[in-house]
Amino acid sequence: MGNVIDETIIINIIVSAGEATALMQQAFFEATNNNLAEVETLLTNANEALVRAHRAQTDLLQSEAAGASSEPSLLMVHAQDHLMNAMLCKQLITNLISLQKEINELKNK
């Protein structure tokens, strides 16, 4: 029987994905206020958090591939849900920010 997967890896996915989502939402808010420098900073920080979440997921997959037992748990499902939502949020908010920038430019003409 392999090692049990460390729950801290799962928690890291949840925390990092949640952080990424919150930063992206804040970036969109800043875009509505035409604070573009802050938007770029927030998106960079969100992307870094998303990379950390993805790396934690990769650690989880590698651990399982190495023989660690991984009975599906509610916590694991929750972590995967957070990561999936953060990835979708990135796509949607990036598009919304682009649209908001166009709106801001049209307002300023």
Side-chain angles (χ1 to χ4, degrees), residues 31 39 42 82 92:
V39 167
L42 288 164
H82 267 277
L92 293 174

Side-chain angles (χ1 to χ4, degrees), residues 50-71:
L50 198 53
V51 166
R52 285 193 307 273
H54 191 261
R55 283 185 183 146
Q57 180 192 45
T58 300
D59 290 345
L60 186 66
L61 293 170
Q62 288 175 339
S63 181
E64 184 173 328
S69 62
S70 62
E71 291 183 26

Side-chain angles (χ1 to χ4, degrees), residues 10 13-14 60 71-84:
I10 297 170
I13 294 170
I14 294 169
L60 186 66
E71 291 183 26
S73 69
L74 184 56
L75 189 60
M76 188 183 300
V77 171
H78 184 64
Q80 292 301 113
D81 186 47
H82 267 277
L83 181 54
M84 180 189 71

Side-chain angles (χ1 to χ4, degrees), residues 13-24 45-46 49-50 52 82:
I13 294 170
I14 294 169
V15 170
S16 296
E19 178 185 359
T21 299
L23 289 166
M24 288 182 278
N45 293 341
L50 198 53
R52 285 193 307 273
H82 267 277

